[in-house]
């Protein structure tokens, strides 16, 4: 990101499927603090058509960890209905920064080594991780690359699974334990609005595993938002 932008630079429109409150509001606040040169507008996807600035270029960044075709179609229709000609970026993931935040969230719960280099010879608190997502089989397929990135960081097996369909968390746990991984952890690849707060906890309890918190408003997510905007400026 350039340190300064002209006054007529495109507005960064953060489009949240979960609405313009809660974790989305927190992420937008971090983007503004870390990038004061960017004009940031936060809106829910349902309100996007009415929220896009008139007579001003805009870059719409979907608050998604994967390219959910349903949400992206809604965003596309909203942009078309507005007649603004706004540009829509891809989702925030897969990206190494997402894997970094997932690692941090696991470490915060004592489910991963906090420092993968300095503590390389210390045994891991778990044998394998289930990367849980929401959105069915399509979402599971979409986060496979993030699972690979997280596995590389943890030097542990990481299997993607769905919280709302099959292949589910129970199936992933069965596969991992059949391969000899007894101590499991559930790592939600969720920003926080995608599923009820207790879904991850219930899924983890059902397989006798620990679980991390969702990605939330970690500064790395705000950085991914800014990068998505910056890449559009560069192109």
């Amino acid at each position: 990101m350039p340190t300064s932008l002209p006054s007529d630079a495109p507005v960064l429109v953060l489009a949240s499927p979960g609405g313009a409150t809660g974790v989305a509001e927190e992420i937008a606040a971090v983007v503004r603090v870390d990038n004061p040169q960017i004009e940031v507008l936060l809106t829910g996807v349902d309100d996007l058509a009415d929220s896009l600035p008139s007579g001003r270029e805009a870059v719409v960044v979907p608050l998604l960890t994967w390219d959910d075709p349903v949400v992206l179609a809604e965003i596309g229709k909203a942009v078309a209905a507005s007649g603004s000609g706004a540009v829509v970026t891809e989702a925030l993931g897969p990206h190494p920064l997402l894997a970094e935040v997932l690692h941090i969230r696991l470490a915060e719960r004592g489910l991963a080594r906090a420092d993968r280099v300095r503590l390389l010879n210390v045994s891991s608190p778990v044998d394998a991780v289930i990367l849980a997502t929401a959105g069915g089989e399509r979402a599971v397929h979409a986060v496979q690359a993030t699972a690979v990135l997280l596995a590389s960081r943890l030097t542990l097996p990481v299997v993607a699974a769905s919280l709302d369909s099959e292949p589910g968390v129970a199936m992933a746990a069965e596969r991992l334990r059949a391969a000899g991984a007894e101590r499991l952890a559930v790592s939600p690849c969720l920003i926080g609005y995608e599923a009820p707060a207790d879904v991850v906890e219930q899924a983890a309890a059902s397989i006798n595993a620990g679980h991390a918190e969702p990605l939330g408003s970690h500064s790395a997510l705000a950085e991914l938002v800014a990068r998505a905007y910056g890449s559009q400026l560069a192109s």
Side-chain angles (χ1 to χ4, degrees), residues 95-106 146 149-150 153 215 218-220 223:
H95 194 280
L97 280 176
L98 273 187
E100 180 180 338
V101 182
L102 291 165
H103 184 175
I104 290 169
R105 294 296 187 229
L106 285 165
T146 301
L149 290 168
L150 181 59
R153 290 187 64 92
L215 298 163
H218 192 278
S219 59
E223 182 177 345

Side-chain angles (χ1 to χ4, degrees), residues 22-219:
V23 66
E25 198 168 25
E26 294 170 4
I27 292 172
V30 178
V31 175
R32 292 186 181 104
V33 170
D34 291 350
N35 304 273
Q37 74 277 30
I38 305 176
E39 183 177 343
V40 180
L41 172 66
L42 171 64
T43 181
V45 171
D46 292 343
D47 302 320
L48 178 59
D50 296 329
S51 300
L52 287 168
S54 177
R56 179 86 176 272
E57 292 185 355
V59 175
V60 179
V61 180
L63 195 55
L64 299 169
T65 58
W66 61 285
D67 284 323
D68 186 332
V70 175
V71 176
L72 292 179
E74 292 176 359
I75 291 174
K77 289 177 183 177
V79 170
S82 73
S84 70
V87 177
V88 182
T89 73
E90 296 180 342
L92 304 181
H95 194 280
L97 280 176
L98 273 187
E100 180 180 338
V101 182
L102 291 165
H103 184 175
I104 290 169
R105 294 296 187 229
L106 285 165
E108 288 171 348
R109 285 293 187 92
L111 298 170
R113 296 190 304 265
D115 187 332
R116 59 180 177 147
V117 176
R118 183 171 56 84
L119 301 179
L120 190 61
N121 295 324
V122 178
S123 61
S124 172
V126 299
D127 302 318
V129 172
I130 297 172
L131 186 65
T133 187
E137 187 175 358
R138 184 175 283 166
V140 173
H141 178 75
V143 301
Q144 292 290 350
T146 301
V148 172
L149 290 168
L150 181 59
S152 177
R153 290 187 64 92
L154 300 175
T155 61
L156 291 173
V158 177
V159 174
S162 175
L163 288 164
D164 53 12
S165 71
E166 295 299 337
V169 170
M171 184 182 297
E174 185 177 341
R175 285 174 50 199
L176 288 167
R177 286 188 167 127
E182 291 296 328
R183 301 169 302 162
L184 304 180
V186 176
S187 175
C189 191
L190 307 171
I191 293 171
Y193 64 82
E194 301 93 333
D198 60 350
V199 167
V200 175
E201 182 178 357
Q202 291 175 0
S206 71
I207 60 169
N208 192 28
H211 70 90
E213 291 295 316
L215 298 163
S217 57
H218 192 278
S219 59

